[in-house]
Amino acid sequence: MATLSSILSLVVVLMVFGTVRSEDEDQAMQSIEGYKTTYKILKEGDGQVVAKGDTVTVHATGIVQQTGKKFWSTKDQGQSPFTYNAGVGKVITGWDQGCLGMSLGEVRQIIIPAAEGYGEKGFPAWGIPEGGILDFEIEILKILKK
């Protein structure tokens, strides 16, 4: 059991050196050449890597950055993982490009500006406003090579 003096010592250390930060908070967003979409790896994967033309199954949660409102998640009750063809324009550009190169089991945060998401008009039916910036967390569950 922690003593009062050890708890006070910890408080002093935190006050002097700041709060403890995780690796995820310290990692900078990475750019994708030729695009404004950025990403950060939240959990490393291993094995196969997503390439153009692969059939990919993911868990995904999308939040509107401006409002903090979740507009879609495959993890919600009644939803299931989402499957799509990678890199061939069947999903929004930021998602398509942001998932290329991900490995099996990898989890990424992908920030998609409106121009590479649902455009300047947004997608009102899903609660995405005009110029909505999307914040996705995507996990690669399965990769079927082309």
Side-chain angles (χ1 to χ4, degrees):
M1 186 169 169
T3 65
L4 182 56
S5 64
S6 62
I7 291 172
L8 290 174
S9 297
L10 178 59
V11 169
V12 169
V13 168
L14 288 174
M15 288 174 61
V16 171
F17 294 104
T19 58
V20 177
R21 295 176 58 89
S22 71
E23 279 184 36
D24 287 344
E25 292 172 333
D26 289 336
Q27 183 184 0
M29 297 299 285
Q30 299 179 48
S31 60
I32 302 167
E33 188 175 339
Y35 297 91
K36 294 186 179 185
T37 294
T38 58
Y39 71 91
K40 175 170 50 173
I41 298 172
L42 303 178
K43 178 185 166 213
E44 296 284 344
D46 59 17
Q48 293 182 324
V49 174
V50 176
K52 183 177 180 177
D54 291 344
T55 300
V56 183
T57 302
V58 301
H59 264 313
T61 299
I63 295 171
V64 176
Q65 193 175 65
Q66 293 93 321
T67 64
K69 181 182 178 215
K70 177 175 69 173
F71 61 87
W72 179 59
S73 180
T74 60
K75 294 181 178 183
D76 285 348
Q77 186 174 356
Q79 297 292 313
S80 57
F82 178 70
T83 300
Y84 74 103
N85 292 330
V88 295
K90 299 294 183 183
V91 293
I92 58 176
T93 301
W95 174 311
D96 222 7
Q97 297 303 311
C99 291
L100 291 175
M102 287 182 74
S103 57
L104 189 62
E106 183 176 327
V107 179
R108 278 187 189 177
Q109 176 186 21
I110 302 175
I111 305 296
I112 304 172
E116 294 173 3
Y118 291 103
E120 291 306 316
K121 292 185 178 181
F123 192 171
W126 279 14
I128 300 170
E130 294 179 2
I133 299 169
L134 310 178
D135 184 342
F136 274 101
E137 182 174 297
I138 298 177
E139 176 183 7
I140 303 296
L141 302 175
K142 183 178 178 183
I143 302 169
L144 181 61
K145 301 306 279 180
K146 61 179 175 179

